[in-house]
Amino acid sequence: MYKWKKQFNLETKILFQNKFFLVLPLLFAVWMGFTLYQTPYFKPDHIIVNTNDFHKLGHTMTLGIAMLIGILMIRRDIQSPTFEWIHSWPRSNGMAIITKFLAGFLYLSTFTVMMSIVYVGIASNVYGLSFQQYAAYFFHDILMYQWSYGVTLALAMFLAVTISHRIVYLIGFCAWMFGTYFIDIFIISRLNLPFLTTFHLNQYTLDTMLNNEVWGIHIFQKEIWTSRLFVASFAVMLLTVMIMLLNLKRATMHKTRSIILGMMSIVLVGLLFVPYGMYWADKFSTYQVVEADAFVPDDNYWNSGESSYQEIPIDSYDIHVLREDDDTLQVEATLTISQDGMPQGEELFFRLNPLLHLQEVSINGEKISYEREGSLITLSVMSDEIVGTDNSLHNIRFQYEGKIDMWAAPTNQQDNIFSFVNGDYVYLNGAIGWYPIPGNMPLFILNFGNDVRPYNSTFSYSYQQSLSQYAEFQLTLSNFTNNVYATIEAVDRNEREQVFYSKNTPGVTLVGGNLVEKEGEGQLSAVVNPFSKQDAYQIIEDISIATNFVENYFAIDNVLKAPVLILPNDGLGFWQYEAQYIDETYMIPAFRMYQYYRDDQSHPHSYRLMRDVIYNSLFKEFAPFKGTTFSRESYASILENGLFYLFLVDELNLTHDEFREAMYHVNTSYHFYMDDEDFYFSDSFYEGMSHEEVEEYQEGERRNKEAGRLLIETLEAGKIDKVREFLVELYENYVIPQKGMEEYYPIITPEEWEMEWNQVMADE
Amino acid sequence: MIKIHSLSKKYRDNVVLDDIHLTIENGLFGLLGPNGAGKTTLMRILATLLPASSGTVEVGDNSLTKKPDIIRKQLGYLPQYFQIYPQLTAIEFLDYVGVMKGVKKKEARVDQIHKLLQSVNLSDVANKKVKTFSGGMKQRLGIAQALMGDPSIVIIDEPTAGLDPEERVRFRNLLSRISINRIVILSTHIVADIESSCDQLAVLHKGKLKLTGDVDTLRKQAEGKVWLFETDEKTLLRLDERKIISSKRSGSNIQLKLVSDEKPAPDATSVEPSLEDGYIALIGGSHNV
């Protein structure tokens, strides 16, 4: 052992006495500290996200140092002809390699120590967090650092042992780049091979979900640890094989032993890849179940839009979900069928997630037979038998079980996890059919032959909505170990059960994880990651101001019954960039949330968020086109924008300059102030149209802009009451009657607009 | 005792060592030969750095092929060209070597280090870093490391190449001293290194063992073959230069000393051969002029 100690001392002395290497960890710490201390305006003020973003570059750079010292340590003596003589000493190659590795690892650990100091310093002093709040992420990063240093160092040493020429430096550089950015961007992301992430040297991939502060590292624990096991064995294999190779070149009595050890290490790597491989095999088999169930559209579908499907009117849901310790869900869902609108003389269809095993279906307590194909359940009774003659409501009870961990093959260079129940961490999207959805509309669609998506996401802006109609919902969750939040109101929460209820909702989505509920000053509250507490208060305040404005002038039910959900939605299979009204509350994407505030820091409020709330409150029944449609037939976009301008001037009392600046930030006025000949649509939009049609479109846009400008100028002229009167009347006369007519936007013709305008303004 | 039996080393078709048979006893053993004779290859094989293509080497009761790890514990080796960790001081380096060679006790190592540094005249720079050392100082430190751990076999390959005359003399004396109770194999192409101190020697030429024995055996190779005579420049140009031991201008003529089986000139006189004459006679002077 004394030889090991001496050799280790020599190696560390040589490394740590090198001034260049000595100063690098300090520079690294300064870089990291500077990056985290000065959060740029476009990034969240969030330690987890920002440290992760730093690691993607910072830590990857330090892997280059690992690669360099690994090669240098071997070429310094073992691979140097002028140091060949040291092999005449009774010094084993095993000892030399392992002590070099340990010394290099010790040196590289100084980067981890620096990272830890900066991390704790920034988290405690800048973000004011307690250690417990970020400990899990902190330790995760420490392990990620150490693991990747270990394998990178072993790889570098292996390259230097196998390649005696100095070209190994170039090959090492290539290995470093290949093992980080190249494999990430061009192989894992572009070729959709996410299971190769374990071969990424530090696994801080650019599109990682591990920085997701609500679920990230928690729901990936199995992947993380099976990967770590494999990576550790791979590093051990590299060390063992390089010792074997050196022993083969040198006269030694231990050749056979080192060959056996080398072979065993290769076998070990193969064996330890099995758990990781099995993990991914499970994911892919799950995906295949969903893919097989997905609707495969033809070209006609994309051209013509959605098809018609059976609709069964549901009065109410009563769902009991029991979570077992292994995350299996035992569910009983009782649906009360409404008499009105029941299809006549048809088989009855329901959809249930294909990963859930249906055990029993009964009607009014009597078991009935059914057929199941993927998600589609076909009951053996006809619709007429359900309705019966006594006009009483009928109950259909579905009993089913299964685990939900819905990984979908990555698209857009990002993981997609549609839903999961993983201990304390829950995300059950209403659209994936975790409760029976009436009718035969598909749950999933094969999106242009590429990937599976929830069916709703292809034509609905908010695919979380599961039903095409509204129903009463009673949901009881049992044995969930953490607080679960929903897009409907939580009416009771105790150790055994969590109960949710809504009188009228198109669905329910559940979330649980590293979340807390923050109460605002009024009725509103927000469910948010503990790190985003301050932002949550601001969001609640802004939503309150916007909803109050709407309630003051419009007779609509605008009360949020459930807490606002502020969630990091990246990687959850939907692409939401703005606040969305889902079921009975707003869901706000956490990452985008920061952009609301960073864009207009000079003002205490988020104009974007307020605009979204106003739009959602007044137009949620329509696709939110948000003022970007210059329709020939409707001035709806001017109405939408006009209401927001009114809010800025009337509710927030902005000055002329502030008003213009706010419009600039939110970008809604841009189109109105575009040159009359500078059209919103590009030339490709007009392809195939006749000259007359193009003219008609462009003339429509000109008139649209003109009307928009007139409205803004009138507001700026101080005629706020008149504009308000005009917009409220327009909304009540033209928008409200069109709700429920399944239009993408309300139709307000230029003539109707002008007539109302002239009428209101004439009263002046 | 080292017994080398039928030792050969080939690199593809190139035979570097060809059927070497040699026995080396305790004492200073000189391995002589011109550049490219295969001396370094033989040294590296003996130092366990290079496997032989065929043949055996036995060190005491141990086969070098089968038990190289045991033999390494008895070895001290200094190659012709070598580097030492420049970051270390002489003491640190020797301490490291001592540990690697199995000198466990620190006191024993310190004692050895001081004695060795004194014997190679490096005591004054014991705490200076190796990177500040001159070539000769590094050579002497290399010798010290070879002797660290009191090895029973010391292999030294072309050690005097970088030394100045004074250091060379000192070094020869050192070798004589250390060879008392051990085998010291000194590989060189400088005959003077061998002449003053070697008990046994062998001459390698083109991978073959040309001679084994002692200094007299080598010297006798030139007995009756060394001639001294004067000649003109024209005749000098016609002579095989490999056989010329020395040439010295004497007025308009040149006084020559050369090796030849036959009298090269009528006025040539036979002289008593030196070791170098014997070496020349063996390697290049075995033919008539």
Side-chain angles (χ1 to χ4, degrees):
Chain A
M1 208 60 206
Y2 67 103
K3 283 190 185 181
W4 288 70
K5 194 178 158 198
K6 195 73 184 175
Q7 184 69 35
F8 179 73
N9 286 345
L10 173 78
E11 298 294 345
T12 48
K13 186 184 177 79
I14 292 172
L15 259 181
F16 283 90
Q17 277 189 351
N18 185 311
K19 286 176 186 144
F20 172 71
F21 286 132
L22 200 59
V23 80
L24 287 176
L26 296 170
L27 291 176
F28 174 76
V30 171
W31 180 23
M32 182 175 175
F34 184 77
T35 307
L36 294 185
Y37 190 74
Q38 298 219 324
T39 310
Y41 75 92
F42 54 83
K43 293 190 75 177
D45 205 7
H46 193 308
I47 185 79
I48 305 303
V49 176
N50 288 343
T51 48
N52 207 280
D53 281 352
F54 172 78
H55 298 329
K56 287 174 189 177
L57 178 64
H59 182 249
T60 303
M61 289 299 110
T62 64
L63 292 186
I65 300 165
M67 191 62 78
L68 179 65
I69 64 164
I71 294 172
L72 276 176
M73 282 195 302
I74 296 295
R75 289 185 62 80
R76 183 199 306 138
D77 44 27
I78 287 178
Q79 280 289 43
S80 168
T82 51
F83 268 97
E84 187 202 29
W85 60 289
I86 61 175
H87 296 300
S88 68
W89 296 342
R91 185 187 82 155
S92 74
N93 284 321
M95 183 199 71
I97 290 294
I98 291 168
T99 50
K100 277 176 188 293
F101 176 79
L102 291 175
F105 192 68
L106 180 69
Y107 167 73
L108 292 168
S109 300
T110 58
F111 287 94
T112 311
V113 171
M114 290 297 160
M115 181 276 286
S116 306
I117 292 169
V118 174
Y119 198 128
V120 172
I122 297 279
S124 307
N125 298 319
V126 178
Y127 290 90
L129 301 172
S130 69
F131 185 70
Q132 274 189 325
Q133 282 180 291
Y134 61 86
Y137 302 90
F138 173 65
F139 287 123
H140 169 80
D141 281 338
I142 287 179
L143 288 178
M144 287 279 266
Y145 265 53
Q146 294 300 87
W147 236 266
S148 51
Y149 284 144
V151 72
T152 308
L153 186 63
L155 177 64
M157 292 170 69
F158 181 81
L159 288 174
V161 163
T162 50
I163 303 165
S164 57
H165 194 272
R166 65 169 69 93
I167 201 170
V168 70
Y169 288 110
L170 182 62
I171 292 171
F173 174 80
C174 295
W176 169 38
M177 284 293 112
F178 180 87
T180 51
Y181 295 124
F182 187 89
I183 195 172
D184 180 7
I185 297 166
F186 296 102
I187 298 179
I188 295 172
S189 292
R190 200 163 288 184
L191 302 180
N192 288 352
L193 301 171
F195 50 86
L196 294 182
T197 305
T198 193
F199 294 101
H200 190 287
L201 287 176
N202 64 4
Q203 301 186 21
Y204 284 117
T205 53
L206 297 177
D207 298 307
T208 181
M209 252 191 85
L210 295 181
N211 62 354
N212 185 306
E213 64 271 33
V214 175
W215 298 296
I217 58 171
H218 309 288
I219 61 169
F220 293 109
Q221 283 299 301
K222 192 172 179 185
E223 180 183 349
I224 289 168
W225 280 105
T226 52
S227 170
R228 279 181 184 157
L229 199 62
F230 167 70
V231 170
S233 72
F234 190 75
V236 169
M237 183 271 286
L238 289 173
L239 292 171
T240 315
V241 170
M242 76 178 98
I243 293 167
M244 180 189 81
L245 293 174
L246 288 172
N247 280 343
L248 288 177
K249 283 200 280 187
R250 182 197 195 196
T252 175
M253 292 143 66
H254 308 303
K255 264 191 183 129
T256 313
R257 192 171 69 186
S258 58
I259 290 171
I260 291 170
L261 283 173
M263 295 302 126
M264 280 171 62
S265 70
I266 293 170
V267 172
L268 181 72
V269 168
L271 288 175
L272 291 183
F273 188 76
V274 172
Y276 183 77
M278 295 283 282
Y279 170 80
W280 276 100
D282 286 349
K283 273 190 157 189
F284 273 98
S285 63
T286 303
Y287 174 70
Q288 280 161 359
V289 169
V290 178
E291 189 182 33
D293 184 62
F295 170 68
V296 183
D298 55 17
D299 290 345
N300 194 41
Y301 170 83
W302 297 114
N303 295 331
S304 64
E306 62 180 293
S307 312
S308 62
Y309 296 103
Q310 182 185 65
E311 288 187 15
I312 302 172
I314 304 294
D315 255 20
S316 67
Y317 276 86
D318 186 7
I319 305 171
H320 290 260
V321 183
L322 171 69
R323 177 191 156 273
E324 292 182 349
D325 292 342
D326 67 348
D327 291 323
T328 300
L329 302 180
Q330 297 282 358
V331 188
E332 275 187 26
T334 307
L335 285 65
T336 308
I337 294 182
S338 170
Q339 301 295 347
D340 298 332
M342 192 71 175
Q344 297 296 308
E346 292 181 13
E347 283 183 307
L348 289 179
F349 300 112
F350 286 86
R351 290 279 184 182
L352 183 68
N353 192 291
L355 298 175
L356 296 169
H357 171 62
L358 184 60
Q359 296 164 312
E360 190 181 302
V361 182
S362 57
I363 295 181
N364 292 339
E366 282 185 30
K367 275 194 208 175
I368 61 162
S369 58
Y370 58 88
E371 285 180 12
R372 177 128 195 234
E373 189 180 352
S375 63
L376 186 68
I377 301 165
T378 310
L379 301 188
S380 60
V381 295
M382 303 296 281
S383 56
D384 310 295
E385 298 171 60
I386 297 278
V387 175
T389 52
D390 57 353
N391 262 359
S392 60
L393 296 177
H394 289 254
N395 291 329
I396 304 184
R397 192 172 69 96
F398 294 85
Q399 195 173 332
Y400 52 94
E401 65 161 17
K403 287 184 181 181
I404 292 284
D405 188 3
M406 289 197 64
W407 174 83
T411 57
N412 295 338
Q413 302 173 3
Q414 208 165 49
D415 257 344
N416 279 342
I417 304 178
F418 294 152
S419 284
F420 52 83
V421 175
N422 186 337
D424 286 351
Y425 303 91
V426 175
Y427 175 64
L428 282 174
N429 189 309
I432 60 109
W434 60 271
Y435 48 83
I437 295 175
N440 57 352
M441 187 175 80
L443 288 179
F444 304 101
I445 185 167
L446 196 62
N447 188 43
F448 291 103
N450 292 330
D451 60 311
V452 169
R453 289 183 183 183
Y455 184 77
N456 279 351
S457 69
T458 58
F459 61 88
S460 166
Y461 199 71
S462 315
Y463 87 82
Q464 288 92 341
Q465 177 179 306
S466 55
L467 307 175
S468 54
Q469 56 189 321
Y470 285 71
E472 186 183 4
F473 257 81
Q474 171 91 21
L475 170 65
T476 307
L477 305 180
S478 304
N479 199 34
F480 279 72
T481 50
N482 198 2
N483 277 1
V484 177
Y485 304 96
T487 48
I488 60 174
E489 187 181 8
V491 291
D492 189 20
R493 201 188 291 281
N494 57 50
E495 278 187 12
R496 284 184 305 108
E497 288 183 343
Q498 301 183 55
V499 183
F500 301 87
Y501 175 77
S502 171
K503 183 75 183 161
N504 207 24
T505 176
V508 59
T509 288
L510 303 178
V511 296
N514 190 19
L515 293 165
V516 289
E517 187 168 358
K518 298 287 172 190
E519 302 284 345
E521 283 183 8
Q523 285 186 314
L524 274 178
S525 67
V527 168
V528 67
N529 184 266
F531 304 121
S532 308
K533 191 171 59 180
Q534 289 306 320
D535 295 306
Y537 289 136
Q538 185 68 54
I539 282 174
I540 293 169
E541 189 187 340
D542 286 356
I543 291 176
S544 295
I545 293 170
T547 48
N548 286 341
F549 166 75
V550 171
E551 283 167 8
N552 282 343
Y553 301 112
F554 301 95
I556 58 170
D557 180 12
N558 201 33
V559 178
L560 295 183
K561 297 189 176 65
V564 174
L565 302 174
I566 302 171
L567 300 170
N569 65 323
D570 295 40
L572 294 182
F574 62 99
W575 298 271
Q576 180 183 317
Y577 300 103
E578 289 155 329
Q580 292 293 306
Y581 191 79
I582 310 292
D583 301 330
E584 291 195 322
T585 190
Y586 284 101
M587 194 178 277
I588 296 175
F591 291 164
R592 307 294 168 194
M593 173 177 78
Y594 302 99
Q595 290 180 1
Y596 284 136
Y597 289 98
R598 296 295 182 269
D599 280 3
D600 46 11
Q601 289 178 93
S602 58
H603 199 277
H605 301 294
S606 166
Y607 300 130
R608 285 169 186 269
L609 175 60
M610 290 168 151
R611 180 201 64 178
D612 290 343
V613 171
I614 293 168
Y615 286 170
N616 278 301
S617 300
L618 295 172
F619 297 98
K620 62 176 177 275
E621 293 82 0
F622 303 92
F625 55 103
K626 305 261 168 77
T628 54
T629 299
F630 286 108
S631 166
R632 292 169 303 168
E633 57 184 5
S634 177
Y635 275 10
S637 61
I638 319 176
L639 172 62
E640 285 197 331
N641 287 305
L643 285 163
F644 177 59
Y645 304 151
L646 177 69
F647 169 77
L648 292 175
V649 176
D650 190 18
E651 188 74 28
L652 298 184
N653 297 317
L654 299 190
T655 63
H656 177 269
D657 291 343
E658 287 170 339
F659 172 60
R660 286 288 170 125
E661 197 183 344
M663 286 199 299
Y664 168 76
H665 278 310
V666 183
N667 230 1
T668 56
S669 69
Y670 173 71
H671 307 298
F672 296 139
Y673 283 95
M674 274 165 61
D675 191 276
D676 272 352
E677 299 307 315
D678 185 9
F679 297 105
Y680 176 74
F681 294 113
S682 62
D683 291 345
S684 59
F685 176 79
Y686 302 108
E687 273 177 22
M689 290 187 191
S690 67
H691 180 71
E692 288 72 24
E693 281 177 315
V694 173
E695 270 296 307
E696 196 183 341
Y697 257 99
Q698 294 183 342
E699 180 55 26
E701 188 175 331
R702 279 192 206 98
R703 291 178 59 188
N704 209 310
K705 286 176 192 166
E706 194 182 326
R709 285 196 293 263
L710 180 62
L711 187 137
I712 291 167
E713 283 157 12
T714 310
L715 262 180
E716 287 181 328
K719 296 176 183 172
I720 299 170
D721 291 343
K722 282 288 170 191
V723 172
R724 186 195 306 123
E725 184 187 340
F726 165 69
L727 293 175
V728 170
E729 279 196 22
L730 208 61
Y731 182 82
E732 287 175 351
N733 292 342
Y734 297 99
V735 178
I736 291 176
Q738 292 185 47
K739 287 186 179 181
M741 293 173 70
E742 297 187 357
E743 294 288 351
Y744 282 98
Y745 49 84
I747 306 297
I748 305 167
T749 65
E751 293 72 25
E752 289 167 342
W753 175 279
E754 281 171 25
M755 188 184 75
E756 281 289 340
W757 179 266
N758 292 334
Q759 201 174 323
V760 172
M761 294 302 161
D763 293 345
E764 196 176 359
Chain B
M1 182 192 287
I2 300 174
K3 286 182 185 170
I4 301 171
H5 181 72
S6 195
L7 187 77
S8 295
K9 180 68 185 175
K10 290 177 188 172
Y11 293 104
R12 295 186 181 170
D13 296 333
N14 184 22
V15 180
V16 181
L17 288 176
D18 187 10
D19 196 30
I20 306 292
H21 293 262
L22 196 59
T23 301
I24 302 171
E25 306 276 358
N26 269 10
L28 186 57
F29 182 89
L31 188 62
L32 208 54
N35 290 332
K39 300 189 298 294
T40 298
T41 303
L42 181 58
M43 297 284 102
R44 289 177 68 214
I45 290 172
L46 294 179
T48 71
L49 298 176
L50 191 68
S53 302
S54 62
T56 58
V57 177
E58 284 186 11
V59 178
D61 296 330
N62 296 314
S63 160
L64 186 137
T65 322
K66 291 176 184 165
K67 295 181 177 175
D69 299 316
I70 291 172
I71 288 167
R72 280 192 189 106
K73 291 177 182 168
Q74 307 167 35
L75 269 182
Y77 174 58
L78 177 67
Q80 186 176 0
Y81 304 107
F82 67 98
Q83 261 192 310
I84 298 172
Y85 300 108
Q87 302 90 338
L88 303 184
T89 65
I91 285 183
E92 285 169 344
F93 173 64
L94 290 178
D95 189 50
Y96 166 67
V97 176
V99 171
M100 290 304 123
K101 290 193 173 182
V103 186
K104 278 188 191 176
K105 287 190 178 170
K106 189 165 177 63
E107 297 78 25
R109 285 201 307 275
V110 170
D111 187 46
Q112 269 196 49
I113 289 166
H114 284 296
K115 281 180 184 166
L116 284 169
L117 286 174
Q118 208 166 14
S119 64
V120 295
N121 201 22
L122 287 175
S123 296
D124 293 347
V125 291
N127 287 307
K128 290 204 167 168
K129 287 193 172 169
V130 173
K131 65 184 171 190
T132 65
F133 282 18
S134 68
M137 290 161 83
K138 281 183 192 166
Q139 194 79 3
R140 282 184 272 152
L141 185 60
I143 291 157
Q145 71 77 26
L147 297 172
M148 194 72 206
D150 199 19
S152 59
I153 302 162
V154 178
I155 299 168
I156 305 176
D157 193 6
E158 306 276 7
T160 57
L163 301 183
D164 62 32
E166 188 189 347
E167 280 176 332
R168 187 175 292 178
V169 170
R170 180 191 283 270
F171 177 68
R172 284 178 194 152
N173 293 335
L174 175 66
L175 288 185
S176 295
R177 275 207 310 277
I178 64 169
S179 64
I180 291 170
N181 289 319
R182 55 166 71 93
I183 296 171
V184 178
I185 304 172
L186 172 66
S187 155
T188 182
H189 61 277
I190 301 169
V191 178
D193 289 346
I194 302 281
E195 189 167 26
S196 57
S197 45
C198 281
D199 315 314
Q200 318 152 65
L201 60 82
V203 179
L204 268 178
H205 184 48
K206 293 181 179 172
K208 288 181 187 290
L209 196 60
K210 300 288 280 188
L211 178 137
T212 55
D214 56 16
V215 173
D216 277 342
T217 317
L218 181 58
R219 189 182 290 117
K220 280 177 184 166
Q221 297 296 309
E223 219 163 52
K225 296 177 183 173
V226 184
W227 306 91
L228 196 66
F229 65 101
E230 282 193 1
T231 187
D232 55 20
E233 285 187 7
K234 270 187 182 175
T235 315
L236 176 66
L237 291 173
R238 289 206 306 271
L239 294 172
D240 183 349
E241 62 182 21
R242 289 175 302 170
K243 296 173 185 302
I244 298 171
I245 296 164
S246 66
S247 60
K248 195 165 68 178
R249 189 163 284 281
S250 169
S252 60
N253 287 338
I254 294 164
Q255 190 179 56
L256 280 181
K257 185 182 180 186
L258 61 70
V259 175
S260 176
D261 290 341
E262 292 173 4
K263 198 175 184 179
D267 59 342
T269 55
S270 175
V271 293
E272 198 61 27
S274 66
L275 191 64
E276 194 172 30
D277 301 337
Y279 175 68
I280 297 292
L282 182 70
I283 299 302
S286 56
H287 303 286
N288 293 330
V289 179

